[in-house]
Amino acid sequence: MMEETEIREKVKKVIIEKLGLEEDKIKDEAKYVEDLGADSLALVDIAMALEDEFGMKIPDEDIEKITTVGSTIQYIKEHLK
């Protein structure tokens, strides 16, 4: 099973890559739209990159519920096989 810190690092890496942000902006409580400036296209892009990174499928209805960096980490932790 992957450690939470490892999941967090991989999630941050994907977000930094997709949104072109500095790492210090990527905090667990950061909201994708309000704090990180992501639009719906960027969110789908991030979700697809996370699916590749973790070898899992994130259903569209779940993508809509994952609104913060922390909730992304939690989601992956719970759904990673």
Side-chain angles (χ1 to χ4, degrees), residues 6-80:
E6 192 181 347
I7 293 171
R8 178 174 283 107
E9 288 310 308
K10 288 183 173 202
V11 168
K12 279 185 168 186
K13 189 182 81 166
V14 167
I15 296 168
I16 290 165
E17 202 175 277
K18 295 297 175 188
L19 297 180
L21 297 170
E22 299 297 316
E23 186 171 353
D24 61 359
K25 288 197 171 47
I26 320 282
K27 302 195 178 349
D28 280 10
E29 64 278 5
K31 293 187 172 94
Y32 287 111
V33 179
E34 295 89 332
D35 301 326
L36 303 178
D39 58 15
S40 55
L41 194 62
L43 293 175
V44 170
D45 212 20
I46 290 168
M48 290 190 330
L50 290 171
E51 288 177 339
D52 289 346
E53 184 70 50
F54 292 100
M56 62 191 293
K57 179 80 182 100
I58 305 172
D60 291 347
E61 61 270 15
D62 286 353
I63 293 172
E64 293 166 19
K65 294 181 207 149
I66 301 171
T67 57
T68 65
V69 175
S71 63
T72 306
I73 294 163
Q74 195 58 44
Y75 180 89
I76 290 169
K77 204 169 96 174
E78 289 169 9
H79 292 83
L80 202 58

